[in-house]
Amino acid sequence: MIIKLYNGNPNVRDVRRIADILRDGGIVILPTDTLYCFACSMEHKKAAESIAQLKGFRLKQAKYSMLCDSLSQASEYVRAMDKGTFALLKGCLPGPYTFILEASGNLPRNFQNANKTIGIRVPDNDITLAIISEVGMPLICTSVRPLGEEDEPENYTDPELIHDRFGNRVDLVVDGGIADPAPSTVVDCSDGIALVRQGKGELIIEN
């Protein structure tokens, strides 16, 4: 199933319908300000395990990020940030960035990386922000971009092609238009500030 929504003015009824699917343990492919992503509720481990299978890895090997509707929501699941880190995130979010932070006890261990961290995303996309807000808690996500295989960019940026490939393996694909093929910029803030991957988001870290 695929639903078309428009960034800037997502249909409220459809947003509620999608949120219900996620709350019930469904897997939804969502648009962001970079690539499309698989997403599920953090309350449903089985859904996260299914996403891991779609990407070709085990749950313990998964490097999930947490989709939040605001920095305030994200702060409930990570340890307290110093002023410099908080200022960096506040200046960049919403935006095409993934910030790796120390996880707090509020985040289930299944979604923490081996060093007890989690990637935080607050995408600049009104569709996904509205869905997260309606769900009432962050979503666990990972990009639909395939691991370890060559693939044409349109296969993970065009929602129609994404639906052709994954539509029978997920509960819903949200069509938010053609995605940007560039991934998010990844910054590790768990021990100082270090650029891990330069992606769509422009970031200059001063030493």
Side-chain angles (χ1 to χ4, degrees):
M1 180 168 58
I2 188 167
I3 292 179
K4 174 71 175 179
L5 290 178
Y6 295 93
N7 194 29
N9 187 30
N11 182 279
V12 174
R13 182 176 296 178
D14 285 334
V15 167
R16 290 173 179 167
R17 179 182 178 189
I18 296 163
D20 285 341
I21 291 172
L22 288 162
R23 279 192 291 259
D24 288 341
I27 298 171
V28 176
I29 295 179
L30 295 173
T32 69
D33 46 3
T34 56
L35 301 170
Y36 275 81
C37 68
F38 297 109
C40 69
S41 166
M42 65 167 52
E43 292 189 326
H44 293 278
K45 181 181 176 182
K46 287 185 178 180
E49 289 174 338
S50 296
I51 290 175
Q53 292 173 1
L54 288 169
K55 291 278 286 195
F57 49 53
R58 296 180 181 178
L59 181 59
K60 291 183 179 180
Q61 299 172 319
K63 293 185 178 180
Y64 290 113
S65 293
M66 189 167 62
L67 280 175
C68 302
D69 65 7
S70 64
L71 180 54
S72 176
Q73 186 184 65
S75 67
E76 298 178 23
Y77 298 89
V78 299
R79 294 190 181 277
M81 293 173 267
D82 59 43
K83 291 183 179 179
T85 301
F86 182 81
L88 175 63
L89 269 65
K90 187 175 182 180
C92 291
L93 300 176
Y97 303 88
T98 301
F99 290 101
I100 300 172
L101 297 165
E102 289 185 88
S104 73
N106 293 332
L107 181 70
R109 290 186 179 181
N110 293 322
F111 307 124
Q112 298 179 24
N113 295 328
N115 51 355
K116 298 181 180 180
T117 60
I118 183 69
I120 300 297
R121 288 225 59 200
V122 183
D124 187 14
N125 183 285
D126 293 333
I127 296 169
T128 295
L129 292 180
I131 292 167
I132 299 167
S133 181
E134 183 65 28
V135 172
M137 66 177 63
L139 303 175
I140 297 300
C141 77
T142 184
S143 75
V144 299
R145 189 170 188 167
L147 295 176
E149 64 176 90
E150 296 295 327
D151 208 350
E152 296 298 325
E154 58 266 27
N155 286 338
Y156 48 85
T157 58
D158 185 324
E160 293 288 347
L161 295 179
I162 291 170
H163 182 262
D164 289 343
R165 182 170 184 175
F166 296 109
N168 63 344
R169 302 177 67 187
V170 300
D171 294 277
L172 178 68
V173 176
V174 178
D175 178 356
I178 301 297
D180 192 311
S184 64
T185 292
V186 180
V187 185
D188 190 341
C189 299
S190 62
D191 184 17
I193 297 176
L195 180 64
V196 177
R197 179 183 71 195
Q198 181 63 60
K200 182 180 177 180
E202 296 184 7
L203 189 71
I204 298 175
I205 300 176
E206 297 181 359
N207 295 321

